[in-house]
Amino acid sequence: MNKSLNGKAFKFGDDVDTGQIIPGKYVVLTDPNELASHVFEDVAPEFKGKVEMGDIIIAGKNFGTGSSREHAPKAIKFSGISAVIAKSFARIFYRNAINIGLFAITLPQVDEIKENDQITINLNEGKVINHTQGKEYKFDLPHKVMLDIFAEGGIIPFTKKELNLK
Amino acid sequence: MGNNLIKKILAKKLGHEVKVGEIIYIEPDLVMTHDHQGPMTIREFENIGADSLWNPDKVILVMDHRTPSQTLVAVENHQKLRKFARKYGVTKFFDVGEGVCHDLVAEKALVRPEMVYIATDSHTVTEGALGLFATGVGSSEMASIFATGKVWLKIPETIKVTLKGTLQKGVYGKDIALRLLEIIKTGGADYKVLEFGGAGIASVSAASRMSLCNMCLEMGAKTAIFPVDKVTVEYYKEKGVEVQELYPDEDGEYISEIIVDLDQLEPLIAFPFSPDNVRSVSQIGDEVYALNQSVIGTCTGARYEDLKVAAEILKGKQVRPGTRMLIVPATKDLMLRCTQEGIIETFLKAGAMVNVPCCGPCGGYGMAVLAEDESSITTGSRNFVARMGAPGAHIYLSNAATAAASAIEGKLTDPRKYLSDS
């Protein structure tokens, strides 16, 4: 896929659950922009004032654990974040992220990346570039079945195309 | 190498053998969404633009998260789901007050052994207790399944969990789950299946198996599964449904094995703020962990065996002043049974509150909410930061017996002293 994602790094720790990403009281909402206005409200209220289009979340292990709420990756994506790089993901969050067009990859070296480092993810070459530190890391692309969904912009446009719906 | 349970079920359904790591496309036997993920599912289904569901008979809708009718937005969501059910011909519709989705689909014998069951809830894995492949997806993926009738799955690796010995007094499936969380840790079984077996499973009831399989999700598991043994056959027989026993091949494929000795297992408690931060009740000793609240509810501890033992403990006793106790039976039929058997009366006389069946207390949805410096014990499955209200509130996870005994003493308490030896 000939695409690259660019932005500054926002660091998070281990086991950030979907309730920290978007508190349970907002799960009654469906509008992604409204969800984004409450992203990380309880645990990192300063986040949404600082995030700019394209920025990248860098997290520890088990990111997105807990509830299956797709509201979580949607709140992240519509806040401006283009991708999440984590040591590991909870399964449903990872699947949801790709399904709604938020790129997500695992990288064992996330601890080396610092807050505000300028990061590029090169999807074509499977490379994470840390411009601030002058480092590069290879990563494994998601499985083809997921890349195909991501390439269409998510599972909704993918399914529309599959069913020949406009 | 032979088949483990998941490979066996999927191979039979697909009509060919499957390999670990292989991607398959499969038609689920049943799918479910509820009033939390359902509104988003409908929104995305409409975005696809399909004019019908692939098979309305295979779709279940449950109103259980924001019930009964908690807020205007919640009620409008319920209205949307009712309209959707009428428009697309969904008849397996469980309205406000019927109960918690994971309990209803089992109680009504909708889910059966060897099925593939997909739902928009992380705790869908609960149903693996009954010998089926059950896992969760998000709303957009469910919208896609609604339209196409298929889902992709990667054949997962399986960890064998061998239970030996017999569950002891005051110890339940919840405690097996907490013990495994202590061993495996949150995320430690990412993308994998936990398959239960061993002679010890005979002493683990269907209700306990459901709480156990449910909490395997907190370990990151894609799903958890029990064989269809005599316990399961009996569970369905009581519902007038005949099912066949199903076991893995003797040379089934596993990446590792974990052995849990039930004879040695005590009631366990997960301390804030992670389900894997586990201590046994006897480790607490003389330390006082005061409680503002005790909750018996959710999909991991509000079934008949849970309410029955809680009533045994609370009978003739009082919830300690300063501690509020909320009991939320998992389903309406269960609540009726408990009413007829005097269990509800025991709760009310002990000073507990009893609420209409729903998911509420699990995530502080309209009830059992905690203030910043408060503490609660709960039979729920999650004690993350802010899960039940304020970020500073402390949540302790336990079985129903421990929650009941702790309500009497207003602090974390070993339930075994309140239970007779019979």
Side-chain angles (χ1 to χ4, degrees), chain A residues 27-32 35 69-72 74-75 156, chain B residues 33-47 77 80-81 138-140 143:
Chain A
V27 176
V28 291
L29 306 174
T30 57
D31 179 66
L35 290 167
R69 65 188 69 155
E70 183 174 294
H71 307 62
K74 275 185 173 158
I156 299 303
Chain B
T33 188
H34 49 56
D35 61 329
H36 238 190
Q37 316 304 332
M40 186 78 93
T41 304
I42 291 177
R43 183 187 170 108
E44 297 299 354
F45 180 75
E46 284 165 354
N47 282 339
N77 282 340
K80 268 186 217 166
L81 290 164
S139 298
S140 289

Side-chain angles (χ1 to χ4, degrees), chain B residues 161-295:
Chain B
V161 182
T162 301
L163 305 182
K164 61 176 199 176
T166 306
L167 270 184
Q168 303 292 303
K169 182 180 78 170
V171 186
Y172 294 87
K174 182 62 155 289
D175 304 293
I176 307 173
L178 293 175
R179 177 75 187 113
L180 284 173
L181 271 156
E182 201 179 1
I183 298 168
I184 295 174
K185 298 291 176 192
T186 55
D190 271 348
Y191 310 108
K192 297 179 177 60
V193 175
L194 295 181
E195 182 186 303
F196 293 89
I201 66 168
S203 73
V204 185
S205 68
S208 264
R209 292 176 183 192
M210 289 173 76
S211 295
L212 169 53
C213 286
N214 176 305
M215 288 194 67
C216 292
L217 183 277
E218 310 306 330
M219 301 162 215
K222 181 168 191 155
T223 194
I225 190 163
F226 269 79
V228 184
D229 63 355
K230 292 191 168 52
V231 172
T232 318
V233 169
E234 192 55 36
Y235 177 84
Y236 279 99
K237 200 174 164 190
E238 284 173 16
K239 300 174 188 304
V241 175
E242 196 183 321
V243 301
Q244 301 301 313
E245 291 187 24
L246 178 77
Y247 299 93
D249 292 343
E250 288 208 2
D251 60 344
E253 184 181 359
Y254 305 97
I255 53 162
S256 59
E257 183 181 12
I258 295 169
I259 298 167
V260 177
D261 184 354
L262 302 182
D263 288 334
Q264 302 300 318
L265 194 65
E266 289 188 278
L268 302 176
I269 296 174
F271 276 55
F273 289 96
S274 177
D276 64 7
N277 185 16
V278 175
R279 296 186 213 174
S280 70
V281 286
S282 56
Q283 269 176 302
I284 293 166
D286 295 332
E287 276 196 75
V288 176
Y289 294 91
L291 298 168
N292 303 91
Q293 178 174 271
S294 171
V295 172

